[in-house]
Each structure stands twice: as C-alpha cells, then as structure tokens.
Amino acid sequence: MKSLVCTAPGHFAFREDAAPEAGAGMARVRLQRVGICGTDLHAFEGTQPFFSYPRILGHELSGALIDASGAESFEPGELVTIIPYFSCGICIACRTGKPNCCVHINVFGVHIDGGMREEILVPASSLLHGQGLNADELALVEPLAIGAHGVRRAGVQPGEYVLVMGAGPIGLGTMELARIAGAHVIALDINADRLRFCKEKLGVHAIVNGADPDAVEQVKAITNGDFPTVVIDATGNLRAINDGIQYLAHGGRYVLIGLQKEAFSFSHPEFHKRESTLMSSRNAVKEDFELVIRSMKQGSIRPQTYITHTVAFDEVPRRFESWLNPATGVIKAMVHF
C-alpha cells in the first residue's frame, strides 16, 4: 500500500509499505478521508511540540472497516471513525478517567505514524460507529470533539458570554459547541474573512477583530461591562495567549486549547485580582466524540460548512504547503482516497 511520509520539515515522500494484518484486539480500516489539522500544518513547518521525524501525519479520519478482529457490534464494510489517542490504561490519568492526557499517550499522526496511507491498523477499542454519517462528516468528528472537550472543561452554562480566540478549525468547532451549550459566543481573530465566516455561517453572537486598538473595549461593551466569564484560546499563538487575560471577567475561567512551544506569561496581579481559574484542554474523550456525532445527526452542526478544499491523496505533496497561506482561505482541507 502507499503511505505519505513527512520526512523532515517542509518535505513529503511517498513510500510503499506492506498492508497491515489485524491481530487480536486490532482493527484494519481502509481510509476514505483524512482531514488536515493545524497539528499537521505545524508539523510540516517544524513548529509542532512533541513531534519527531519521519512521521506519517493524519488523525482526522474516516474509512471502511475491513476487519474488526471480533470487536462486538462492528461489521466489515461499515463506515467508522476513530478516537486517535491511544492511552496506556494504567497511569494516574487513565485510572482517574482522563485517558486523553495519559502519561504515556500515543496520538496517531503525532507520536506514532498516522492515517495518511491507504490502510491503517488501530486498536478496536478506538472505533466509533458511523451512525449513518458520511465519510466527510466522520472525518470532522475529531476536530469538533476537541472543541467539545474544551467547552466541557470550562463548564460552560446557558447564558454565559464565552470568548473564543482564534477562528481556525478548532476555534470554529469550539464556538459551535459553546453555542450548543447555550452560551453567547464572541469570536475574536485578526482575519476579517474568518470573522465574517463566524458571523454568516456559524451565527455567533458577536465578532471582534483582535487587531483593533479598542478590541478590549469592544468585548467589554458586548458583555454589558462584565467581560466574558469564559475565555478559550484556540490560537496556539504566544501573544494571544499572553493577552487573553485582559478579556476575562472577574471570577472567570481561562482555558487553553491551543498549544505552542514557548513559556507563556501574564500579569500576576491581573490574574490574581480576578480569582481566575486557568486550565488546559488536551485532546478529547469518548463522550466528546459522542456529543459531536449526536449534534451532527440532530442538525445542530452542519459539517459541510467547514470543508473549503478537497484534494486527492496523490496530490497532497503538491498542495499541502499552500494551506499554510491564509490567503488561500482554507478552513478545512479534506484528503480523498
């Protein structure tokens, strides 16, 4: 079978590999779609933490099940998606119900080779039924689950103002799930086209351009002088993370979904006087995936809204670098097999 390997930052190469054989507890899946994530883009440009080369990218997946190795209720030929975070099951995080931040976690396409190949072998326990969703929709479940997990971490309540910084795919999904939780969502970005997308396609409560000199005052006015009780960073941008505290209400929660390599910092007095709660949100758990699938089936999320670019598997090396350029207008690129 054919695999696409990121051999070093900025470089791809196709490779012929033997087709996998399912053993006990493992499932064999023939890929149909791979969504391109910010993690993949950062890996290509050499800025992704917890990463080494060479690596087969890809963790937003859907495909047809070839062999489920006897996994109960799964049938060959059915469309599936996977939870691409493989945990050890015995560490402190796993024992306390947090396999998403397992001490020894292996994330598909990050710590171990991922889905940018014609067939994959994954633990049967990671499979999720397609439940009538199509291949495109199923490949979008994972990035939306990231947002669902961040919203759940924040404990978003109906009627709260939630500011989401960053209108990339993860930020957009976070906005959707915050809206579904009943929040008044404020989108903040410096890309006017992305902000327009948030308003026109997602129906967020308000948009703010973070490059505006009065951005803080705009957020204050939108929230009737209170500021948002939840601020969620989905940029992974150091400056944005450092500045995020200025938008947070007293008593509020600041959640970091975005990830970058450097140390972040903000004023201790500003953090302290708010009695702020700071938390990170890593990956997602099965309940988050199930919420996204349920929301798609109910029509609360329209997955096709996100897909702006499609590309055949063989064309990925030629097209991939262009997706780093905001001028291309890419929100979600989807690889077809």
Side-chain angles (χ1 to χ4, degrees):
M1 67 173 186
K2 186 183 292 185
S3 302
L4 180 61
V5 185
C6 185
T7 56
H11 297 279
F12 279 119
F14 281 109
R15 185 178 73 195
E16 287 294 326
D17 292 326
E21 295 184 10
M26 301 299 287
R28 184 178 171 188
V29 178
R30 182 163 187 84
L31 270 297
Q32 292 195 4
R33 301 287 190 273
V34 176
I36 302 301
C37 176
T39 299
D40 303 318
L41 296 171
H42 296 155
F44 181 77
E45 67 183 359
T47 59
Q48 176 63 28
F50 314 127
F51 200 86
S52 60
Y53 304 86
R55 180 68 66 227
I56 298 174
L57 306 179
H59 60 273
E60 300 177 0
L61 313 173
S62 67
L65 187 59
I66 298 173
D67 183 353
S69 189
E72 188 175 351
S73 80
F74 285 92
E75 297 293 335
E78 71 169 289
L79 279 181
V80 296
T81 187
I82 71 163
I83 301 173
Y85 329 119
F86 307 144
S87 54
C88 71
I90 59 174
C91 73
I92 179 63
C94 290
R95 297 198 312 271
T96 54
K98 298 180 178 180
N100 56 300
C101 60
C102 168
V103 174
H104 308 292
I105 199 165
N106 280 314
V107 177
F108 211 48
V110 179
H111 306 103
I112 58 175
D113 284 342
M116 203 71 75
R117 42 187 162 168
E118 293 175 316
E119 294 184 11
I120 58 172
L121 200 62
V122 296
S125 59
S126 72
L127 296 175
L128 291 171
H129 292 287
Q131 297 189 41
L133 299 179
N134 64 38
D136 284 339
E137 293 166 336
L138 288 171
L140 285 165
V141 172
E142 191 274 342
L144 291 166
I146 297 291
H149 190 72
V151 168
R152 192 151 62 89
R153 284 280 285 154
V156 172
Q157 299 299 309
E160 282 194 285
Y161 283 98
V162 175
L163 174 70
V164 179
M165 301 191 302
I170 298 301
L172 296 174
T174 303
M175 294 173 201
E176 289 260 68
L177 273 299
R179 174 185 55 77
I180 289 169
H184 302 301
V185 179
I186 305 168
L188 186 144
D189 202 284
I190 59 172
N191 185 313
D193 291 333
R194 288 286 179 96
L195 290 172
R196 187 161 45 251
F197 181 94
C198 294
K199 193 68 175 177
E200 295 176 357
K201 301 296 186 181
L202 303 188
V204 299
H205 179 76
I207 57 175
V208 175
N209 193 314
D212 290 348
D214 65 341
V216 174
E217 290 303 312
Q218 289 184 49
V219 172
K220 182 178 181 181
I222 291 164
T223 57
N224 304 309
D226 289 335
F227 287 101
T229 47
V230 175
V231 174
I232 301 177
D233 176 75
T235 67
N237 176 275
L238 183 59
R239 181 175 178 180
I241 291 170
N242 289 345
D243 289 347
I245 191 72
Q246 67 187 325
Y247 299 108
L248 186 66
H250 282 236
R253 292 98 73 199
Y254 188 20
V255 183
L256 306 182
I257 296 179
L259 178 65
Q260 47 80 46
K261 286 185 173 182
E262 304 302 321
F264 63 86
S265 64
F266 35 75
S267 165
H268 189 181
E270 290 297 321
F271 182 78
H272 189 89
K273 75 180 186 182
R274 289 169 169 80
E275 196 178 59
S276 309
T277 298
L278 175 66
M279 62 186 86
S280 62
S281 178
R282 189 179 187 194
N283 299 325
V285 296
K286 187 175 183 180
E287 290 78 7
D288 303 312
F289 282 76
E290 291 172 340
L291 171 59
V292 171
I293 290 173
R294 190 162 60 247
S295 297
M296 285 184 179
K297 292 180 68 178
Q298 293 171 346
S300 302
I301 296 174
R302 300 187 304 274
Q304 294 297 336
T305 301
Y306 294 88
I307 301 172
T308 54
H309 294 64
T310 59
V311 62
F313 179 47
D314 288 344
E315 290 294 306
V316 171
R318 187 176 65 83
R319 299 278 299 280
F320 197 93
E321 189 170 5
S322 69
W323 299 329
L324 292 166
N325 183 358
T328 62
V330 65
I331 290 175
K332 177 61 64 179
M334 191 68 70
V335 178
H336 289 226
F337 286 78

